[in-house]
Amino acid sequence: MQEDVCGLVFLVSVEREEKETKREGIGVCGWILVSISFLLVVITFPFSIWACIKVVREYERAVVFRLGRILPKKSKGPGLILILPCTDTFIRVDLRTVTCTIPPQEILTKDAVTTQVDGVVYYRIHSAVSAVANVTDVHSATFLLAQTTLRNVLGTRSLAQLLAGREEIAHGIQDILDSATEQWGIKVARVEIKDIRIPVAMQRTMAAEAEAAQEAKAKVVAAEGERNASKALKQASVVLADSTAGLQLRYLQTLTTLAAENNSTIVFPLPINMFENLGQKNRGG
């Protein structure tokens, strides 16, 4: 019973393949060859089932060629597919995401600085038929196109733009690659710029420039602090000039601060009023 069911399913598959062949228009000679192939499959059944049925994995698709024509203009799978002996051939296409590492490319930037840039491109095949029929080696073509696009895009940017706008440049490269590889059945998922190498002399120059900029900022901050301190001292002098007692208290506070340090300096506090009285006596004499 089980063999009869398998045989029925197999014959239904053969009939479906025959209908698909009719739609292809392979000519009289093609009809004869396909008919002979069908006849051989039926005569040698069930032994022919092992040569006709192929298994396609979940992440794969099979592009079937019947007498040189793609049948039926789309890929097959996943699961079991039927291949006729002598007339059919097929190519497996992996649909998983591929990681393409771009080796370091020596690039002359817009401001005449030589740099070495490498990157990574993530892509996958979304149309197995286009990947097989429209390009000889889809992976090699995508790899070479990614190299050329990286060089062309980065050559139009200055070093400052290259260092500050990695993400924007990567998105631009992704859009260009995605548009160019659409006819190959490729979908570019992501582009990343890994590393940017610049000459040692340029690194030293940039470090010196950054150090000078930091020193300039530090001087500006110090000058701003001095200006604020002078304003505060001016306001304090006005307050102390109006209050003699306040000046005395500030004098004593300064002495307390000096006494807290371990030193051998001896300070003799004298009231400032004493100097004022001496000045008045001298003028009176």
Side-chain angles (χ1 to χ4, degrees):
M1 182 66 178
Q2 187 175 0
E3 293 181 356
D4 294 339
V5 173
C6 293
L8 181 61
V9 172
F10 181 72
L11 292 176
V12 170
S13 300
V14 170
E15 291 178 359
R16 186 168 55 214
E17 293 292 327
E18 185 177 1
K19 291 179 181 179
E20 292 174 351
T21 304
K22 290 179 180 179
R23 291 197 298 265
E24 288 301 310
I26 57 178
V28 177
C29 293
W31 269 103
I32 295 173
L33 293 175
V34 172
S35 300
I36 294 174
S37 180
F38 276 124
L39 184 61
L40 290 175
V41 169
V42 174
I43 293 174
T44 59
F45 184 81
F47 302 102
S48 60
I49 192 172
W50 304 109
C52 295
I53 293 181
K54 305 295 181 182
V55 178
V56 179
R57 297 183 180 89
E58 180 68 30
Y59 55 84
E60 292 178 337
R61 296 296 182 270
V63 180
V64 180
F65 292 86
R66 175 163 297 168
L67 298 177
R69 292 175 176 270
I70 296 179
L71 182 71
K73 295 301 182 183
K74 65 179 181 179
S75 58
K76 293 188 176 182
L80 297 177
I81 63 172
L82 178 64
I83 302 296
L84 293 179
C86 304
T87 61
D88 290 359
T89 58
F90 73 100
I91 299 175
R92 297 178 187 268
V93 179
D94 196 328
L95 302 184
R96 291 177 293 183
T97 299
V98 179
T99 303
C100 175
T101 301
I102 303 175
Q105 303 292 308
E106 190 168 340
I107 298 170
L108 184 65
T109 61
K110 188 177 180 180
D111 50 353
V113 178
T114 303
T115 61
Q116 286 189 345
V117 183
D118 57 355
V120 182
V121 178
Y122 301 91
Y123 67 91
R124 61 181 178 84
I125 297 175
H126 69 86
S127 175
V129 173
S130 299
V132 172
N134 295 343
V135 62
T136 304
D137 187 345
V138 65
H139 297 293
S140 177
T142 304
F143 174 71
L144 294 176
L145 181 62
Q147 285 186 339
T148 306
T149 305
L150 180 67
R151 295 172 66 91
N152 292 339
V153 172
L154 297 185
T156 61
R157 304 299 179 94
S158 63
L159 181 60
Q161 293 174 339
L162 186 59
L163 295 175
R166 287 192 182 188
E167 186 173 354
E168 179 183 356
I169 295 173
H171 284 308
I173 296 174
Q174 177 181 344
D175 293 338
I176 295 174
L177 287 176
D178 199 19
S179 176
T181 57
E182 177 65 25
Q183 60 182 345
W184 300 341
I186 295 293
K187 175 62 178 177
V188 179
R190 190 177 183 86
V191 176
E192 291 289 344
I193 297 177
K194 290 174 58 179
D195 192 17
I196 301 175
R197 301 182 183 91
I198 59 178
V200 178
M202 181 61 66
Q203 293 180 12
R204 293 174 180 172
T205 302
M206 294 176 64
E209 182 180 356
E211 185 178 356
Q214 293 296 330
E215 290 180 357
K217 290 181 180 180
K219 289 181 179 179
V220 171
V221 172
E224 186 69 19
E226 290 291 339
R227 185 168 67 89
N228 294 335
S230 62
K231 288 182 179 180
L233 289 173
K234 181 180 178 182
Q235 295 175 359
S237 64
V238 172
V239 174
L240 292 176
D242 296 337
S243 176
T244 306
L247 182 61
Q248 292 287 342
L249 291 174
R250 179 58 183 165
Y251 180 67
L252 294 175
Q253 184 179 3
T254 303
L255 292 177
T256 303
T257 303
L258 293 174
E261 299 179 1
N262 296 326
N263 52 43
S264 58
T265 303
I266 300 174
V267 180
F268 294 93
L270 293 175
I272 297 178
N273 294 337
M274 181 182 297
F275 296 101
E276 294 179 355
N277 294 332
L278 290 175
Q280 293 176 358
K281 290 180 180 181
N282 291 332
R283 285 195 298 270

